[in-house]
Amino acid sequence: MTVTIDRTTAHERAPSPPARLSLVPVSPVPGLLDGAWWPRSRDLPHELPALTDVLDARWGRITRVSVNPAHWPVIPRKVPVTGHTVHVGWFADTQDPHKLILLSYTTGRWDLLVIPPETSAAAATRLMAAAATPGSLLTASCLIANETATRDAREALTREEEWETDGGPAPTAAGSRTRPDS
């Protein structure tokens, strides 16, 4: 994997587009995830400010974030966001590679499914809906695996349909078959 690192300072960065986010509605039934986030890249210092802009207003100031380094090529210790700094930690062995944990001193902890940036819009929509289902007991990696299996099954079905309808040899009349001479 090739990684390009933008070495501009926080003051030189263009503002990030709004975060693509889906959150579980308020529900008395707890689930394993509190929603899903679909970042536009794997550049955590660039993506995190847009996410915290949305969540700070909703959940209180986000002060810490934890990720699994499997899908983030660069993990800074601190990321400047609007009005404060978010401390970033990582756990390779204990944290689901498709999950982002957000902490706020005032309100608690939230777990979000991180949808890979290269995911198609249709698949991301399905994943966001599944992660935002109240009371869901599916882990982030389970949701990603289910979507991958569904995509693979759709592709296999498409390939099979193409095989069945590709024409093949033209059918012959019953009496017009010829046998090769021995």
Side-chain angles (χ1 to χ4, degrees):
M1 168 176 20
T2 304
V3 177
T4 303
I5 300 173
D6 181 7
R7 299 206 182 270
T8 58
T9 65
H11 302 295
E12 296 171 343
R13 285 189 186 266
S16 300
R20 299 182 292 189
L21 186 66
S22 176
L23 301 174
V24 174
V26 176
S27 169
V29 182
L32 293 180
L33 294 170
D34 299 297
W37 175 46
W38 185 23
R40 289 173 172 79
S41 72
R42 295 196 184 274
D43 181 358
L44 192 59
H46 183 71
E47 296 289 339
L48 203 53
L51 179 63
T52 60
D53 283 349
V54 173
L55 297 179
D56 280 355
R58 185 178 181 124
W59 290 343
R61 179 177 278 188
I62 302 300
T63 56
R64 296 193 177 277
V65 171
S66 173
V67 299
N68 184 307
H71 300 293
W72 300 102
V74 175
I75 302 173
R77 292 181 54 191
K78 296 178 183 179
V79 175
V81 299
T82 306
H84 65 287
T85 299
V86 173
H87 297 270
V88 182
W90 57 271
F91 298 95
D93 296 332
T94 57
Q95 185 169 335
D96 186 325
H98 299 286
K99 184 168 72 173
L100 178 81
I101 299 172
L102 301 120
L103 301 169
S104 168
Y105 287 131
T106 57
T107 19
R109 169 187 165 155
W110 297 273
D111 296 0
L112 296 179
L113 164 68
V114 178
I115 299 170
E118 61 276 4
T119 303
S120 72
T125 300
R126 286 189 298 273
L127 285 164
M128 291 179 112
T133 302
S136 174
L137 298 178
L138 295 175
T139 65
S141 283
C142 184
L143 287 172
I144 295 290
N146 288 349
E147 180 60 36
T148 301
T150 301
R151 182 197 68 221
D152 292 348
R154 282 186 184 129
E155 288 175 0
L157 184 58
T158 301
R159 285 191 302 272
E160 185 176 325
E161 288 171 349
E162 288 173 359
W163 173 260
E164 293 294 327
T165 61
D166 73 347
T172 60
S176 66
R177 288 190 185 185
T178 57
R179 263 181 90 144
D181 292 329
S182 304

